[in-house]
Amino acid sequence: MLLTEQQEMIQKVARLIAKDHIEPRAAEVDRTGEFPWDNVRVMAENGLFGVHVPEEYGGVGGDMISHVAVVEEIAKVCASTSVINTTQALAMAPFLIAGNEEQKKKYIPLLAEGKILGSFGITEPGAGSDVSSAKTMAVREGDDYIINGQKIFITNAGLSEVYVIVARTSEDRTKGISLFIVEKGTPGLSFGKEEDKMGIRGSVTREVILENVRVGKGNLIGGENEGFKILMNVFNETRPVIGAQATGIAQGAFDYCLNYVKERKQFGRPISTFQMVQSEIANMAMKIESSRLLVQKAAEMLDRKDPNVIRYASMAKCVASDTAMEVTTNAVQLLGGYGYIKDYPVERMMRDAKITQIYEGTNQIQRVIIANQLLK
Ligand SMILES: Cc1cc2nc3c(=O)[nH]c(=O)nc-3n(C[C@H](O)[C@H](O)[C@H](O)COP(=O)(O)OP(=O)(O)OC[C@H]3O[C@@H](n4cnc5c(N)ncnc54)[C@H](O)[C@@H]3O)c2cc1C
């Protein structure tokens, strides 16, 4: 897809920052599991958290096509750092979609400018794919709500200053869900177990515990019981972004692999001269390009506010993340034994790719959504 001058300029900035600042430490961030605050700073200084956010809320005023281009560039070199960027977008989305003016003015500039981090607490021990079975309760008490519950697998939990929490406000499965803003430091909000993960090891994934957390009714995003609808709209915006993350991981592994097969010699010649290797290279390139085009199509549909975006957002996430898993696995294969060794980046990329098939709706759930949309 041909990018406009502005989209290309934003992509170029992201590429430069990724190459100069983020790539050099990617292996170390993976090895140590250290949260890369330096990368948060460099993304914040260069406006990379707020690419798609209107200027009036502290953003760059770009579009979704620019946003996915930025995420792809970062993911190409360091998936852990790209998760920080995509999680910030996930946390901002409910404010952008359904926040009132006061909430937007208070929180979006801080998040878009990277002055604080934000998290979105949806998942619970008993509510993963089935979000509507959430048990976290918010009970009205005068002008306040008292929230009790447990969230698991929450990205940036403990580091974020602001949390959007999915809580039940009535018994109806989907029409009984609401979204609440909970600030760090609110009495009763605490953080539990930090997960030890296969990949994206520089990203923090932790439990969020809510024990009699009292928030005012001004902390409700959208109306009471409107949370499920908002959540579905949030996912329409964030799934193409995960698709971009997956495309970046795949492209990073492919780029490394392409150079490697040209240089590695076996049977007296570069392995790139074997037809079976060439066929694999062609397959990888085709799949990456198809993923990118689908991600850009979904992003462009979001920019046009096309109501058919639902299935394209799911397709973009699903195709790109399946591609990332396949391409990174095959990149390891084409590097042979070296691919399995941590001195080479492709094993990290293979571990990082896996999560893109799981979070923000597993790929089975994406297929359910696509089929439902087509069959309705
Ligand atoms: C690193 C990481 C970061 C995360 N970050 C966040 C975050 O910031 N905020 C947040 O709220 N959550 C987050 N999550 C949670 C993530 O979104 C969930 O793990 C995911 O949605 C799947 O839920 P589950 O783990 O409960 O799996 P389950 O829902 O139990 O699914 C188990 C298996 O059953 C399949 N399955 C379930 N239902 C169906 C169906 N109807 N049809 C076919 N197959 C089905 C699934 O596809 C999967 O293969 C994160 C998870 C991880 C691992």
Side-chain angles (χ1 to χ4, degrees):
M1 182 177 184
L2 207 58
L3 299 187
T4 64
E5 223 169 274
Q6 196 206 14
Q7 290 161 348
E8 231 174 48
M9 201 183 71
I10 293 172
Q11 183 185 45
K12 219 181 247 173
V13 170
R15 189 170 292 163
L16 277 175
I17 288 164
K19 274 271 156 215
D20 291 352
H21 296 277
I22 300 175
E23 186 172 30
R25 284 214 325 113
E28 182 194 343
V29 165
D30 174 65
R31 192 182 68 251
T32 60
E34 165 213 331
F35 185 79
W37 281 110
D38 51 335
N39 292 343
V40 173
R41 266 192 301 278
V42 75
M43 286 192 284
E45 280 161 10
N46 289 281
L48 299 187
F49 285 119
V51 168
H52 62 302
V53 175
E55 283 169 297
E56 60 177 311
Y57 301 122
V60 172
D63 51 18
M64 284 303 286
I65 294 188
S66 307
H67 181 36
V68 294
V70 165
V71 169
E72 183 185 329
E73 291 303 325
I74 299 167
K76 212 192 278 183
V77 300
C78 178
S80 289
T81 301
S82 75
V83 177
I84 304 170
N85 192 293
T86 58
T87 303
Q88 197 79 334
L90 175 69
M92 274 189 284
F95 290 101
L96 284 165
I97 290 169
N100 60 35
E101 212 40 45
E102 199 183 322
Q103 293 166 342
K104 283 181 174 169
K105 287 213 169 94
K106 183 169 176 192
Y107 294 104
I108 300 176
L110 291 171
L111 293 162
E113 290 167 12
K115 291 187 173 139
I116 62 167
L117 295 178
S119 294
F120 203 159
I122 308 159
T123 309
E124 300 182 4
S129 299
D130 182 11
V131 176
S132 55
S133 63
K135 286 204 163 49
T136 295
M137 287 292 292
V139 177
R140 184 89 187 242
E141 203 181 279
D143 274 350
D144 295 338
Y145 287 90
I146 313 294
I147 311 175
N148 278 288
Q150 180 197 7
K151 298 287 172 185
I152 53 161
F153 299 156
I154 307 307
T155 303
N156 290 345
L159 306 177
S160 291
E161 296 296 326
V162 61
Y163 297 80
V164 177
I165 297 291
V166 171
R168 181 160 295 292
T169 35
S170 99
E171 285 311 313
D172 192 293
R173 268 174 66 78
T174 53
K175 291 188 192 125
I177 283 178
S178 304
L179 304 183
F180 292 92
I181 305 163
V182 181
E183 290 184 7
K184 189 176 181 179
T186 307
L189 176 73
S190 63
F191 309 101
K193 180 171 173 251
E194 187 174 336
E195 307 298 344
D196 186 7
K197 303 188 294 293
M198 171 195 289
I200 54 163
R201 293 188 58 82
S203 167
V204 167
T205 314
R206 204 168 165 192
E207 220 179 333
V208 174
I209 300 152
L210 301 112
E211 286 170 313
N212 293 321
V213 170
R214 179 181 288 271
V215 295
K217 65 173 193 258
N219 288 35
L220 186 62
I221 302 182
E224 195 177 282
N225 298 328
E226 282 178 10
F228 191 78
K229 214 171 88 195
I230 301 167
L231 194 54
M232 294 304 113
N233 285 325
V234 166
F235 284 144
N236 289 340
E237 296 215 348
T238 56
R239 283 174 180 156
V241 178
I242 299 303
Q245 180 176 62
T247 306
I249 297 171
Q251 186 70 55
F254 179 74
D255 291 347
Y256 194 89
C257 179
L258 193 62
N259 280 327
Y260 184 89
V261 296
K262 285 192 269 186
E263 280 168 16
R264 173 71 175 167
K265 287 199 177 92
Q266 286 295 283
F267 301 97
R269 55 191 207 173
I271 59 171
S272 61
T273 59
F274 297 121
Q275 276 192 353
M276 225 185 282
V277 171
Q278 290 174 358
S279 163
E280 201 45 68
I281 290 291
N283 283 337
M284 289 159 113
M286 285 191 286
K287 288 188 176 170
I288 296 170
E289 206 55 46
S290 312
S291 300
R292 182 176 297 115
L293 285 170
L294 204 42
V295 167
Q296 287 174 333
K297 180 180 172 77
E300 187 266 335
M301 288 175 89
L302 285 169
D303 286 331
R304 272 195 292 111
K305 302 199 183 318
D306 188 323
N308 292 319
V309 74
I310 302 170
R311 70 173 186 272
Y312 287 94
S314 288
M315 285 181 195
K317 193 264 182 193
C318 193
V319 168
S321 57
D322 283 350
T323 296
M325 201 62 241
E326 190 181 327
V327 166
T328 53
T329 307
N330 291 343
V332 169
Q333 188 70 19
L334 286 181
L335 262 74
Y338 300 95
Y340 202 68
I341 304 296
K342 283 185 188 280
D343 291 347
Y344 295 80
V346 289
E347 66 80 32
R348 160 169 56 89
M349 292 165 173
M350 179 177 142
R351 287 184 285 106
D352 288 343
K354 186 63 203 171
I355 190 60
T356 62
Q357 293 180 304
I358 296 172
Y359 59 15
E360 294 205 28
T362 65
N363 282 4
Q364 286 92 331
I365 294 302
Q366 305 310 325
R367 288 180 168 90
V368 169
I369 295 168
I370 295 162
N372 282 347
Q373 288 290 314
L374 291 168
L375 294 169
K376 77 175 178 191

